[in-house]
C-alpha cells in the first residue's frame, strides 16, 4: 500500500507512478489529516510513504499523524521523499517514528523533483523541470525493484551539513520562518473558497469574502499553487512569479 501527501503535485505524481509500477493501492492521506481521522491501514504488501521534504525532514505534521495510525498486515515500511535541494538527515528522524510504531523500516529513498517553494526560491523554467521529472521516472524503476524484492533501500552517508540541516535548521525554520502573516489575497480573489478546501491544517477561514490565515501554517504552498486566479501572494516574495503546480507542467 502506497500512502502519500502532496500539496503541489510532486509527491502525488511519484506515488501514483509507483503504484502503477507495483500494481499496488495508492491512498491520499490529505482527507485523513484534514478531517482528523485516524488511519487504520491494512496491507499484505509493504507500506510505502511518499511525501515531500520540508526543511530536510518528513513534514512534521505528517510524521506526527503517522504516530496516530494503525498499520496491520505487513510490518515493512519504505519511505520515498521528493526534494528540491537535498533531504539532509531525514532518515534518522522518520526511522525513530517508525520504530515507535513497531514497524520494520526498510529505508528512505530521495528523488529529486522540481523546486516548488515559491515563497523563498526562484523556480526553474518548465523546460528544466520537465527534464527533472523525466529523470525521476528512471529512478522510480529502481525504487520499485527494491520494494518488489523486499530489499532495503541503500542508506546514504550523511555528513555534518545534512545533520545540521535536519537537526538544527529544521526546528528553527518551523519556529521562526514557516509563518503565515505575509499571506494575503489580492483584488483578483473571487471568493471561491478553494484555498480553504486545500489547506490540510484547516488554517484558512473566510472573513468578509476573503481568506484569512490563522497562525497554523506549514508552508506547503497549496493555497498559492491551486488558486484558480493566482490571487494569493506571500509578501513581496511571490510577486511576479508564476505559482508552481506540477499538473500545469505536465499539460504543456
Amino acid at each position: 500500500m502506497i500512502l502519500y501527501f502532496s500539496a503541489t503535485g510532486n509527491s502525488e505524481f511519484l506515488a501514483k507512478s509507483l503504484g502503477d509500477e507495483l500494481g499496488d493501492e495508492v491512498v491520499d492521506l490529505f482527507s485523513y489529516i484534514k478531517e482528523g481521522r485516524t488511519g487504520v491501514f491494512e496491507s499484505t504488501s509493504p507500506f510505502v510513504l511518499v511525501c515531500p521534504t520540508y526543511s530536510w525532514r518528513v513534514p512534521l505534521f505528517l510524521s506526527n499523524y503517522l504516530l496516530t495510525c494503525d498499520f496491520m498486515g505487513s510490518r515493512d515500511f519504505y519511505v520515498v521523499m521528493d526534494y528540491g535541494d537535498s533531504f539532509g538527515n531525514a532518515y534518522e528522524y522518520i526511522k525513530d517514528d517508525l520504530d515507535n510504531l513497531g514497524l520494520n523500516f526498510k529505508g528512505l529513498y530521495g528523488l529529486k523533483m522540481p523546486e516548488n517553494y515559491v515563497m523563498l526560491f526562484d523556480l526553474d523554467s518548465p523546460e528544466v523541470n520537465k527534464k527533472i521529472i523525466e529523470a525521476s521516472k528512471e529512478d522510480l524503476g529502481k525504487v520499485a525493484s527494491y520494494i518488489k524484492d523486499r530489499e532495503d533501500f541503500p542508506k546514504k552517508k550523511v555528513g555534518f551539513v545534512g545533520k545540521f540541516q535536519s537537526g538544527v535548521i529544521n526546528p528553527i525554520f518551523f519556529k521562526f520562518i514557516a509563518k503565515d502573516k505575509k499571506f494575503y489575497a489580492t483584488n483578483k480573489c473571487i471568493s471561491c473558497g478553494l484555498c480553504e478546501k486545500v489547506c490540510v491544517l484547516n488554517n484558512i477561514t473566510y472573513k468578509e469574502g476573503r481568506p484569512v490565515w490563522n497562525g497554523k501554517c506549514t508552508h506547503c504552498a497549496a493555497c498559492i499553487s491551486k488558486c484558480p486566479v493566482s490571487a494569493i501572494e506571500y509578501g513581496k516574495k511571490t510577486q511576479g512569479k508564476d505559482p508552481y503546480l506540477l499538473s500545469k507542467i505536465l499539460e504543456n
Side-chain angles (χ1 to χ4, degrees):
M1 178 182 288
I2 299 168
L3 310 169
Y4 77 91
F5 166 78
S6 186
T8 63
N10 284 348
S11 296
E12 179 181 13
F13 171 80
L14 294 176
K16 291 182 176 179
S17 298
L18 188 58
D20 290 340
E21 287 269 357
L22 296 173
D24 207 351
E25 180 182 4
V26 180
V27 177
D28 186 356
L29 293 177
F30 175 85
S31 62
Y32 285 86
I33 300 169
K34 186 173 180 66
E35 296 167 13
R37 288 189 286 142
T38 298
V40 180
F41 304 109
E42 184 171 1
S43 177
T44 55
S45 61
F47 289 100
V48 185
L49 174 69
V50 182
C51 69
T53 303
Y54 284 8
S55 188
W56 301 286
R57 281 165 62 175
V58 170
L60 182 60
F61 75 88
L62 181 55
S63 58
N64 287 341
Y65 176 73
L66 291 176
L67 292 172
T68 72
C69 296
D70 291 325
F71 298 94
M72 298 183 293
S74 176
R75 307 309 294 164
D76 291 343
F77 203 109
Y78 294 88
V79 177
V80 177
M81 295 179 68
D82 60 84
Y83 64 91
D85 173 52
S86 73
F87 52 91
N89 196 29
Y91 176 101
E92 295 299 332
Y93 294 90
I94 191 61
K95 181 180 185 302
D96 285 346
D97 292 336
L98 297 176
D99 285 348
N100 287 334
L101 286 166
L103 295 169
N104 178 30
F105 182 44
K106 300 287 285 181
L108 185 155
Y109 202 105
L111 289 172
K112 182 173 176 58
M113 286 291 282
E115 179 60 64
N116 60 3
Y117 192 23
V118 70
M119 291 93 78
L120 187 61
F121 302 118
D122 291 330
L123 307 184
D124 290 318
S125 67
E127 292 73 26
V128 170
N129 284 335
K130 286 180 180 179
K131 291 180 180 179
I132 294 173
I133 293 166
E134 286 302 313
S136 77
K137 292 179 182 178
E138 296 181 13
D139 275 346
L140 273 175
K142 300 176 186 176
V143 171
S145 293
Y146 283 115
I147 297 172
K148 287 177 182 177
D149 295 338
R150 304 291 180 100
E151 294 182 3
D152 289 1
F153 288 149
K155 185 179 179 182
K156 293 188 176 181
K157 186 176 180 180
V158 180
F160 171 79
V161 172
K163 293 177 181 178
F164 184 79
Q165 289 169 330
S166 299
V168 178
I169 298 179
N170 178 279
I172 291 174
F173 174 82
F174 282 105
K175 185 173 182 178
F176 296 107
I177 300 175
K179 304 296 182 182
D180 60 13
K181 291 182 179 179
K182 293 183 180 180
F183 283 102
Y184 67 95
T186 68
N187 290 331
K188 293 190 293 184
C189 178
I190 56 175
S191 303
C192 67
L194 185 59
C195 56
E196 182 179 16
K197 293 177 182 177
V198 301
C199 180
V200 69
L201 297 183
N202 298 306
N203 185 49
I204 300 175
T205 54
Y206 268 68
K207 183 177 181 180
E208 297 178 354
R210 289 294 179 90
V212 176
W213 286 259
N214 294 290
K216 189 176 68 172
C217 182
T218 190
H219 273 209
C220 74
C223 57
I224 288 180
S225 69
K226 295 179 179 178
C227 176
V229 292
S230 299
I232 297 176
E233 302 282 6
Y234 182 75
K236 296 181 179 180
K237 292 288 187 180
T238 56
Q239 291 177 1
K241 296 181 181 179
D242 290 330
Y244 177 88
L245 193 62
L246 181 63
S247 60
K248 291 182 179 180
I249 296 174
L250 297 178
E251 287 171 0
N252 298 324

